[in-house]
Amino acid sequence: MASAQMQGLLQKVKELMATPPAGIDDFRQKFETFAGQFYVTKDAMVTAVNAGGVPAEWIAAPGVAQDRVILYVHGGGYVIGSINTHRELINRFSKAANARVLALNYRLAPEHPFPAPVDDATAAYRWLLSQGVKPNRVVVSGDSAGGGLTIATLVAIRDAKLPTPAAGVCLSPWVDMEGTGETMTTKASVDPMVQKQGLLGMASLYLSGKDPKSPLASPLYADLKGLPPLLIQVGEAETLLDDANRITQRAKAAGVQVSLEVWPEMIHVWQMFAAVLPESQKAIDGMGKFVREHTV
């Protein structure tokens, strides 16, 4: 069963979602304020950097391996979110993986619609290579929209004939702009965070009239051949559960090594809440182990 702390977390999430935001700026500020409740780690070493034209930060727990790197793209439906909202998760991931993390403030919609985030993530990977980072020591990772962006970035890297990263780690990935998964309906009553109407609204802002089946927007429709090993974590109580299930099936059919973990009773990107939720740290520890095993 889920921990007792989950009930308190669910209440906080419901409070966040109870009042519709008054526009994009308000939506972004509400998310920043909500995420700020979970900042507890004080030991992160943070350095701002321009990563090939993309605002970014090096985030590292003390003593981590300098030559092992995670390229991290945050979630938020391509519309909200930032390094600030995810710094706590990223620092814990750094510690668990014994790696530095290059976290990106990629461009957001509606100001910068698709494919701007894919372009930014790919540019940051090129920059890492130009800094002498070895591709077999790099893992691309992200949550929610960032989980879908992780796969899209790996596809874009392959198509650009760049060296292949060691692996990808996707947390509750959003890979279908049309929200056609069965669990968008069957899990709607237990998911406090992601509902189809809101998802499609973000998709509309991100796509700005482009085809929702564009492979780099909806990686569910991408050719996944040649991608590196993937770890996908998803909660059982998520409307996006079928996105994780379907991208796993597609990747395996393309010959990609995939480890899918469905966590009982967990909500969307529960890994963000390690300050209050023990299941979060357990998941992050598993993410770190996967990274270490694939970057030897």
Side-chain angles (χ1 to χ4, degrees), residues 253-264:
V256 179
Q257 177 186 331
V258 186
S259 299
L260 173 65
E261 298 178 359
V262 180
W263 284 62

Side-chain angles (χ1 to χ4, degrees), residues 259-281:
S259 299
L260 173 65
E261 298 178 359
V262 180
W263 284 62
E265 302 183 54
M266 291 298 102
I267 62 172
H268 188 59
V269 195
W270 75 96
Q271 298 90 340
M272 286 188 67
F273 310 117
V276 297
L277 195 64
E279 292 91 342
S280 301
Q281 188 60 55

Side-chain angles (χ1 to χ4, degrees), residues 12-273:
K12 288 180 179 291
V13 172
K14 289 175 182 177
E15 290 171 1
L16 171 70
M17 304 302 291
T19 305
I24 295 297
D25 289 340
D26 184 51
F27 196 9
R28 290 171 179 166
Q29 186 54 54
K30 284 181 182 295
F31 189 36
E32 294 277 340
T33 300
F34 174 74
Q37 299 177 72
F38 304 100
Y39 290 177
V40 295
T41 301
K42 306 298 183 183
D43 62 352
M45 294 177 285
V46 178
T47 305
V49 65
N50 182 318
V54 184
E57 286 181 4
W58 281 114
I59 300 174
V64 299
Q66 295 297 297
D67 64 338
R68 178 184 286 127
V69 172
I70 299 165
L71 175 62
Y72 198 90
V73 285
H74 67 79
Y78 298 106
V79 175
I80 64 174
S82 67
I83 297 172
N84 287 336
T85 59
H86 285 67
R87 193 177 286 111
E88 166 68 5
L89 165 60
I90 291 167
N91 188 46
R92 288 177 182 268
F93 194 7
S94 168
K95 183 176 182 180
N98 187 27
R100 291 190 295 163
V101 181
L102 182 69
L104 303 186
N105 267 333
Y106 59 84
R107 291 171 291 171
L108 298 177
E111 299 91 338
H112 304 284
F114 172 74
V118 184
D119 292 342
D120 286 356
T122 307
Y125 182 68
R126 289 181 183 272
W127 179 81
L128 281 174
L129 298 180
S130 76
Q131 300 301 299
V133 177
K134 303 300 182 185
N136 64 343
R137 297 284 281 178
V138 178
V139 171
V140 183
S141 181
D143 62 282
S144 194
L149 181 55
T150 292
I151 297 175
T153 300
L154 292 172
V155 171
I157 287 169
R158 181 204 62 199
D159 290 350
K161 295 181 171 53
L162 296 171
T164 304
V169 176
C170 305
L171 315 182
S172 304
W174 179 25
V175 298
D176 174 12
M177 288 285 119
E178 296 176 300
T180 60
E182 182 180 349
T183 52
M184 289 305 302
T185 300
T186 61
K187 296 292 184 178
S189 64
V190 294
D191 189 329
M193 298 183 73
V194 179
Q195 296 292 314
K196 188 168 184 175
Q197 182 178 359
L199 194 80
L200 294 181
M202 287 181 162
S204 178
L205 293 173
Y206 181 48
L207 292 168
S208 189
K210 295 185 173 66
D211 184 359
K213 290 186 172 66
S214 298
L216 294 182
S218 290
L220 183 64
Y221 301 105
D223 175 5
L224 304 177
K225 291 178 182 176
L227 264 58
L230 301 174
L231 170 64
I232 299 175
Q233 291 184 343
V234 66
E236 185 185 34
E238 292 202 51
T239 56
L240 286 174
L241 175 58
D242 268 358
D243 278 43
N245 288 333
R246 290 182 295 161
I247 197 66
T248 296
Q249 293 166 3
R250 292 270 300 170
K252 286 184 175 179
V256 179
Q257 177 186 331
V258 186
S259 299
L260 173 65
E261 298 178 359
V262 180
W263 284 62
E265 302 183 54
M266 291 298 102
I267 62 172
H268 188 59
V269 195
W270 75 96
Q271 298 90 340
M272 286 188 67
F273 310 117

